[in-house]
Amino acid sequence: MSKLRSAPTLDDVARKAGVSTATVSRCLNDPERVVTATRERVMSAVTTLGYTPNFAARVMAAKRSFTIGAIIPTMENAIFARGLQAFQEEIHRQGYTLLVSSSAYRPEDEEEQIRTLVARGADGLLLIGHDRAPRIFDFLEQRKMPTVVAWSFIPEKDTPSIGFNNRQAMKALAAKVIKLGHTRLAAISGIRQGNDRARLRIEGIKDAMEMNNLPPDSLPIIETSYEIENGAEAFANLMSQTERPTAVLCGNDVLAVGAVRQAQDMGIRVPDDVSVTGFDDIELARIINPPLTTVHVPHREMGRKAAQALIEMIETGSAGQSLELPTEIVSRQSLDRAN
Amino acid sequence: MSKLRSAPTLDDVARKAGVSTATVSRCLNDPERVVTATRERVMSAVTTLGYTPNFAARVMAAKRSFTIGAIIPTMENAIFARGLQAFQEEIHRQGYTLLVSSSAYRPEDEEEQIRTLVARGADGLLLIGHDRAPRIFDFLEQRKMPTVVAWSFIPEKDTPSIGFNNRQAMKALAAKVIKLGHTRLAAISGIRQGNDRARLRIEGIKDAMEMNNLPPDSLPIIETSYEIENGAEAFANLMSQTERPTAVLCGNDVLAVGAVRQAQDMGIRVPDDVSVTGFDDIELARIINPPLTTVHVPHREMGRKAAQALIEMIETGSAGQSLELPTEIVSRQSLDRAN
DNA sequence: ACCCTATTTGTAAGCGCTTACATTCTAATT
DNA sequence: AATTAGAATGTAAGCGCTTACAAATAGGGT
């Protein structure tokens, strides 16, 4: 029958080891500063008591939490999951812990979560994309909170970004599509409001059209949220137009997978009747038939680099530096020349 | 030029509003208890100062964090991502925040993370599966930490589990395979060490074999970790045996997808030459060709129910109750009768 | 008017830790 | 043996909040 006893404290350890709390604290945080004999006595008290330091108290006293917060749109998206996993591995290697929340793509929720993470004493923050209310950045700056933005690279912004040039990458892909003879393009995009990745990818398509003397305003765009089914629906929609496109450029692989499946259901052959492209290069992209031509993004590397940049900002107090990562077009079978 | 000023405290708000800190605290935590006029004065001070409560201080004083910790093997796995997303939505609805760490399937890391989460003052914990060192459960019990296990349902355990009967579910699937005339079965399993899901699924196959007078010990089992490539390799391995199996039962969809792809690469037809089954019913399962016959698991519901159970334990101090969720076999084209 | 109860607000004691500063101890130098 | 620099340890003041308890104020019944 175990006694109802609350967790042992530093004080308990100190008493048991016959030293002061300061010494115990030093044993735990800066072992060099205490002589071996004492340290051993303290450590054995720690283990016999099963002592674990109380984090809240430590944070309060030290004004340092060794915690980094990350807010992602959703965990149900392989691209964030992968990048975040790498991010977490890197910060863990450096002695930090990760706090994640997901905002479900809702800006108000994201704002609340940012405040929560700050209140929890996060030493730094990882955010996805630059598109959010300026007051949030003001708040972060006023609090001197080291912050890094990932998945998007816009060097002009104050907040350093570790990511890739969504616009450029999509432009390159669209240029390739056009070079294959396609003139009737269409786009299926994620919701662009508050999402610079989605927004800039569409801009990229338009850039490529403009460069090749296709009127950018003629591009049919269907915006929808991140689900296979929505991609399918959008595709059906696009195909019901009188003038069918010959190439459908999707803002991400998930929507593209939906498009390809819908094509199959409608008896439309990909790429013979219509080409489809994706973006992200997640697993689904190479599993589906035909496999998707898409843009490969180095998610793991991005996560790692973002972690390094953020930790440097935290530890040196520097302003941080943006870093652009390369993307590359992966050619598979869902894109072919126009006929 | 903004002054370098640290975050405003309760005290600053109190002074600005001309009340005591106790009143401010009450305004924030229990607004009913303070009269409207005062409350408004306080609230306006809060907004003009841009006050955000300091979490560590609050946790320390209140001995309550409104935080729930979850430790999952990896975020790079759709099944955990999905269940966790639902879990987080539910606890958020009830005013709690989620702290996630991933252990990368490493027991030592998991143990450390459990201690970290406890030290951080988590009000409750979500763990995946029952297989871990008893001292961890002892620690949790000694600390009176409300804990729920998900993804596995084993009612005999002390820690309540919200999940499904992995053994039973796999047994049903294997029985179905056998009924289709297959006698030469083989299994590709996840690492069973420390993973009751993987372990019990294999047991389920053996149960079904035993019931149908097939010698359970004859089942070839290849254990490998959770990656498409590993599934492919395992499949190749299995097919190089002199006596090829006619049905390969995989411990999860990811391994099954690897198996199917490898079959294609080897010119082996699925299901004509060999049947393949999965487990989990993730998106990949219906996207691949042929789509996988697999076991559908209600991940979202499990996440939600686990959240409800855990919160009830936290708030009522009750011991908590296990809950079994139903799974169902989803028949698609990767499984057919033996020829 | 007066007393009593109920409501609202204030006072102050921690929560468990870190760390600046003070004190004690060790041992090398004179 | 006396002196003293330097290492090891101790003392105690917070960190920003909650909450038990005390005090003040308001309202209702006589």
Side-chain angles (χ1 to χ4, degrees):
Chain A
M1 205 165 297
S2 87
K3 261 187 294 174
L4 172 52
R5 168 186 43 216
S6 60
T9 72
L10 239 209
D11 225 76
D12 297 330
V13 177
R15 204 164 318 120
K16 175 133 202 159
V19 298
S20 74
T21 60
T23 300
V24 179
S25 175
R26 282 191 280 257
C27 279
L28 265 25
N29 300 312
D30 195 2
E32 262 79 284
R33 295 208 31 192
V34 40
V35 94
T36 314
T38 318
R39 189 172 49 220
E40 276 165 2
R41 201 147 33 90
V42 170
M43 286 319 197
S44 100
V46 165
T47 39
T48 68
L49 253 38
Y51 169 77
T52 328
N54 175 315
F55 212 82
R58 187 200 286 254
V59 168
M60 242 182 108
K63 299 175 158 310
R64 193 66 201 291
S65 67
F66 282 97
T67 291
I68 288 177
I71 297 164
I72 57 174
T74 170
M75 295 189 241
E76 284 189 63
N77 180 332
I79 68 162
F80 295 129
R82 180 149 309 170
L84 205 61
Q85 179 74 29
F87 183 84
Q88 120 108 344
E89 280 165 15
E90 180 66 23
I91 67 171
H92 186 252
R93 236 175 39 73
Q94 306 217 31
Y96 288 80
T97 312
L98 178 62
L99 251 53
V100 198
S101 352
S102 63
S103 62
Y105 285 103
R106 275 184 244 110
E108 329 80 73
D109 284 15
E110 196 206 27
E111 180 165 3
E112 186 205 321
Q113 287 166 345
I114 289 175
R115 290 180 187 280
T116 302
L117 252 14
V118 170
R120 287 181 114 79
D123 292 338
L125 242 44
L126 174 76
L127 265 24
I128 310 300
H130 286 282
D131 284 8
R132 57 179 61 74
R135 74 164 166 286
I136 299 182
F137 289 110
D138 292 346
F139 169 74
L140 257 17
E141 195 184 345
Q142 185 218 309
R143 285 286 212 277
K144 307 254 175 272
M145 176 63 59
T147 305
V148 152
V149 163
W151 268 269
S152 191
F153 174 74
I154 309 182
E156 300 79 46
K157 299 283 184 179
D158 285 342
T159 309
S161 44
I162 311 290
F164 46 94
N165 191 324
N166 286 280
R167 184 170 189 159
Q168 196 56 53
M170 191 54 128
K171 180 180 172 186
L173 178 60
K176 173 166 190 156
V177 170
I178 294 170
K179 188 164 289 170
L180 285 169
H182 293 276
T183 52
R184 294 203 308 280
L185 310 186
I188 302 178
S189 170
I191 308 290
R192 282 174 290 175
Q193 166 76 8
N195 182 334
D196 54 0
R197 285 90 63 214
R199 184 167 53 74
L200 292 169
R201 288 175 194 178
I202 292 295
E203 292 307 312
I205 300 177
K206 292 189 173 175
D207 290 350
M209 291 176 77
E210 188 133 33
M211 215 176 67
N212 289 278
N213 302 313
L214 298 176
D217 290 343
S218 71
L219 178 73
I221 303 173
I222 297 192
E223 254 190 51
T224 185
S225 59
Y226 194 93
E227 297 275 327
I228 291 182
E229 286 67 30
N230 295 331
E233 192 184 337
F235 183 84
N237 212 310
L238 244 22
M239 288 301 143
S240 68
Q241 315 281 300
T242 45
E243 184 100 325
R244 284 188 172 181
T246 64
V248 175
L249 288 81
C250 302
N252 58 61
D253 286 345
V254 171
L255 295 176
V257 164
V260 168
R261 304 219 84 206
Q262 180 66 25
Q264 286 165 354
D265 288 355
M266 293 170 77
I268 299 174
R269 291 166 307 161
V270 177
D272 307 48
D273 299 327
V274 59
S275 284
V276 173
T277 65
F279 200 114
D280 288 338
D281 193 21
I282 60 178
E283 264 171 3
L284 272 178
R286 57 192 176 90
I287 297 302
I288 196 172
N289 205 315
L292 294 178
T293 288
T294 187
V295 176
H296 178 80
V297 172
H299 292 295
R300 299 194 62 86
E301 190 188 355
M302 187 169 56
R304 236 190 32 251
K305 289 284 170 53
Q308 288 164 355
L310 188 51
I311 290 177
E312 165 154 5
M313 287 170 71
I314 293 170
E315 301 194 337
T316 71
S318 67
Q321 213 161 353
S322 292
L323 176 66
E324 180 174 4
L325 296 170
T327 58
E328 78 189 278
I329 297 176
V330 184
S331 292
R332 289 195 275 245
Q333 283 83 65
S334 71
L335 168 64
D336 203 350
R337 54 183 60 262
N339 42 22
Chain B
M1 203 166 298
S2 86
K3 260 185 295 174
L4 173 52
R5 168 186 40 214
S6 60
T9 71
L10 239 211
D11 225 75
D12 298 329
V13 177
R15 204 165 316 120
K16 175 133 200 158
V19 297
S20 73
T21 60
T23 301
V24 179
S25 175
R26 283 190 280 256
C27 279
L28 267 23
N29 301 311
D30 194 2
E32 261 80 283
R33 293 209 32 194
V34 39
V35 94
T36 314
T38 319
R39 187 172 51 219
E40 277 165 1
R41 203 146 33 91
V42 170
M43 286 318 197
S44 100
V46 165
T47 40
T48 70
L49 254 38
Y51 168 78
T52 329
N54 176 314
F55 212 83
R58 188 200 287 252
V59 169
M60 241 183 111
K63 300 176 155 309
R64 194 62 203 291
S65 68
F66 282 98
T67 291
I68 289 177
I71 296 164
I72 57 174
T74 170
M75 295 188 241
E76 284 187 62
N77 180 331
I79 68 162
F80 295 129
R82 178 148 310 171
L84 205 60
Q85 178 73 27
F87 183 84
Q88 120 109 344
E89 281 165 18
E90 180 66 22
I91 67 170
H92 186 252
R93 236 174 41 72
Q94 306 216 32
Y96 288 79
T97 312
L98 179 62
L99 251 54
V100 198
S101 347
S102 63
S103 62
Y105 285 103
R106 274 185 244 109
E108 329 80 72
D109 285 15
E110 196 206 27
E111 179 165 3
E112 185 205 322
Q113 287 166 346
I114 288 174
R115 289 180 188 278
T116 302
L117 252 12
V118 170
R120 272 170 187 283
D123 292 337
L125 242 44
L126 175 76
L127 264 26
I128 311 299
H130 286 281
D131 283 8
R132 57 180 61 74
R135 73 163 166 284
I136 300 182
F137 288 110
D138 291 347
F139 170 74
L140 258 16
E141 194 184 347
Q142 185 217 311
R143 285 287 210 279
K144 307 257 176 267
M145 177 64 58
T147 304
V148 152
V149 163
W151 267 270
S152 190
F153 174 76
I154 308 183
E156 300 78 45
K157 300 283 184 177
D158 285 342
T159 309
S161 45
I162 312 290
F164 46 94
N165 190 324
N166 285 281
R167 184 170 190 159
Q168 196 57 52
M170 191 55 127
K171 179 179 174 188
L173 178 61
K176 175 167 189 157
V177 170
I178 295 171
K179 189 165 292 169
L180 285 169
H182 293 276
T183 52
R184 293 203 308 280
L185 310 186
I188 302 179
S189 170
I191 308 290
R192 282 175 289 176
Q193 166 76 7
N195 182 334
D196 54 0
R197 286 89 63 213
R199 184 167 51 75
L200 292 170
R201 288 175 195 178
I202 293 295
E203 292 307 312
I205 300 177
K206 293 189 174 175
D207 290 349
M209 291 176 78
E210 188 132 34
M211 215 176 67
N212 289 277
N213 303 313
L214 298 175
D217 289 343
S218 71
L219 177 74
I221 303 173
I222 297 193
E223 254 191 50
T224 186
S225 60
Y226 194 93
E227 299 273 327
I228 290 181
E229 286 66 31
N230 295 333
E233 192 183 337
F235 183 83
N237 211 311
L238 246 20
M239 287 303 143
S240 68
Q241 315 281 300
T242 47
E243 183 101 324
R244 285 188 172 180
T246 64
V248 175
L249 288 80
C250 302
N252 59 59
D253 286 346
V254 171
L255 295 176
V257 165
V260 168
R261 303 220 84 204
Q262 180 65 26
Q264 285 166 356
D265 288 356
M266 293 172 78
I268 299 175
R269 291 167 306 162
V270 176
D272 308 48
D273 298 328
V274 59
S275 284
V276 173
T277 65
F279 200 114
D280 287 339
D281 193 21
I282 61 177
E283 264 171 3
L284 272 178
R286 56 193 177 88
I287 298 302
I288 197 172
N289 205 315
L292 295 178
T293 288
T294 186
V295 176
H296 179 79
V297 173
H299 292 295
R300 298 195 62 86
E301 190 189 354
M302 187 169 57
R304 239 192 27 253
K305 289 283 170 54
Q308 289 165 354
L310 188 51
I311 291 177
E312 164 153 6
M313 286 169 72
I314 293 170
E315 302 194 337
T316 69
S318 66
Q321 214 161 355
S322 293
L323 176 66
E324 180 172 6
L325 296 170
T327 57
E328 79 189 278
I329 296 176
V330 184
S331 292
R332 289 195 275 246
Q333 282 83 65
S334 71
L335 168 64
D336 204 348
R337 54 183 62 262
N339 43 21

